[in-house]
Amino acid sequence: MAEFAGKVVIVTGAGDGIGRAAAREFAEKGAKMVLIDVKGVETIADELKAKGSEVIAASMDVRDGAAWGELVEDVLAKFGTIDALVNNAGVAVPGDTAADVSEDVWDKIMDVNAKGVWLGMKAVLPTMIEKKSGKICNVASTAAHIGLKNAAAYCASKGAVLALTRQAGVQYAPLNIQINSVSPGTTMTGLQRDVTEEQRAAFLPLTPIGRFAASEEVSGVIVFLCSNGSSFMTGADVSIDGGMVAL
Ligand SMILES: NC(=O)c1ccc[n+]([C@@H]2O[C@H](COP(=O)([O-])OP(=O)(O)OC[C@H]3O[C@@H](n4cnc5c(N)ncnc54)[C@H](O)[C@@H]3O)[C@@H](O)[C@H]2O)c1
């Protein structure tokens, strides 16, 4: 039987990049999918439905707590359960230094990358607590581990994701809910859109493997952290960075 047959998995930021790759892999492994994004979610939803998956697509901003509440109600009404949540939606903005970042941009980055992760957890935890079972995988970044240039709010937001993952992992461990995170290094997705070739090239010497990641190299670990195989992992962070943080 397919590994995720009968399971219901929510992925945020599923319209592109790492989230879209994760949605494809979960669906291939039999999961019923709930896809959230502010854009592009219908395209991936149509693709997965055409391959036979059951899908709920939500054009939704992860910063909207009320929308999270409605979505969870809809999912429980239609699919009856929520087995896993991948909090993957995230933003980066150029010119993000402590001296220069505006309050608006700081708030946007913190709200999407950190508050959005908490709101997702807050929305799904009650049903997971009730059935004493669940998996949450949050997407952090190497930026949570090192002082990445031009990424002040971004680093702060991803540090918050690690801290929240650790805290909630401990809090809900006795209830059979495992909460972990991944910290990707440079991955060739739309998030790299505003990064010049020159800027990206500076990361190569910091990446022992000597190349950047494909989305699927990150999403495979996310899928593992939502599978039965990760049953003794919680509050943990897994680096997927070609060795950058180990350097
Ligand atoms: N690409 C990298 O180099 C890299 C490295 C480390 C961590 N990450 C993290 O990986 C995650 C996925 O990013 P990606 O690289 O696939 O980028 P991406 O831009 O390809 O995908 C991110 C998706 O999130 C969606 N999104 C943005 N704001 C949203 C909001 N408020 N509500 C709902 N959806 C929203 C976007 O529309 C987009 O489809 C992010 O959390 C990012 O910070 C990426």
Side-chain angles (χ1 to χ4, degrees):
M1 187 157 80
E3 195 179 358
F4 283 85
K7 305 264 187 204
V8 176
V9 180
I10 302 177
V11 178
T12 73
D16 208 347
I18 294 166
R20 184 173 57 191
R24 283 180 177 138
E25 190 169 336
F26 279 120
E28 268 166 29
K29 293 185 171 178
K32 295 177 189 170
M33 295 306 303
V34 182
L35 309 174
I36 297 174
D37 206 307
V38 285
K39 62 178 166 58
V41 81
E42 291 300 341
T43 310
I44 177 69
D46 289 347
E47 176 189 316
L48 300 187
K49 281 182 200 161
K51 290 182 185 155
S53 297
E54 286 187 66
V55 178
I56 293 175
S59 288
M60 192 189 112
D61 192 315
V62 294
R63 293 172 288 183
D64 186 341
W68 269 112
E70 285 165 25
L71 178 83
V72 164
E73 267 184 34
D74 287 352
V75 175
L76 292 176
K78 185 165 181 200
F79 290 155
T81 184
I82 295 171
D83 298 287
L85 165 67
V86 179
N87 277 311
N88 161 79
V91 288
V93 177
D96 173 17
T97 65
D100 296 322
V101 65
S102 67
E103 285 192 45
D104 283 353
V105 170
W106 173 276
D107 287 345
K108 179 182 177 182
I109 293 172
M110 291 300 288
D111 281 357
V112 176
N113 295 5
K115 188 178 175 189
V117 167
W118 164 63
L119 285 172
M121 290 170 61
K122 184 174 168 62
V124 303
L125 275 168
T127 179
M128 291 182 173
I129 290 168
E130 200 184 331
K131 64 178 183 148
K132 291 198 170 50
S133 160
K135 300 272 189 183
I136 297 176
C137 178
N138 298 323
V139 179
S141 169
T142 47
H145 302 268
I146 61 172
L148 204 62
K149 274 192 174 176
N150 303 315
Y154 187 78
C155 284
S157 70
K158 294 300 188 178
V161 172
L162 281 200
L164 178 60
T165 300
R166 259 195 310 268
Q167 192 285 333
V170 169
Q171 184 88 46
Y172 299 105
L175 298 176
N176 189 33
I177 299 166
Q178 288 94 47
I179 304 175
N180 296 290
S181 60
V182 293
S183 282
T186 306
T187 308
M188 297 310 291
T189 69
L191 201 85
Q192 294 288 325
R193 188 180 301 117
D194 295 319
V195 179
T196 64
E197 281 300 323
E198 201 182 0
Q199 285 169 330
R200 211 173 3 256
F203 282 102
L204 264 189
L206 300 174
T207 310
I209 283 186
R211 63 176 178 80
F212 302 129
S215 293
E216 291 72 17
E217 291 176 289
V218 177
S219 63
V221 181
I222 293 172
V223 172
F224 168 72
L225 288 174
C226 294
S227 74
N228 291 336
S230 66
S231 51
F232 202 60
M233 294 179 73
T234 201
D237 180 68
V238 181
S239 291
I240 317 165
D241 60 1
M244 184 184 274
V245 166
L247 197 62

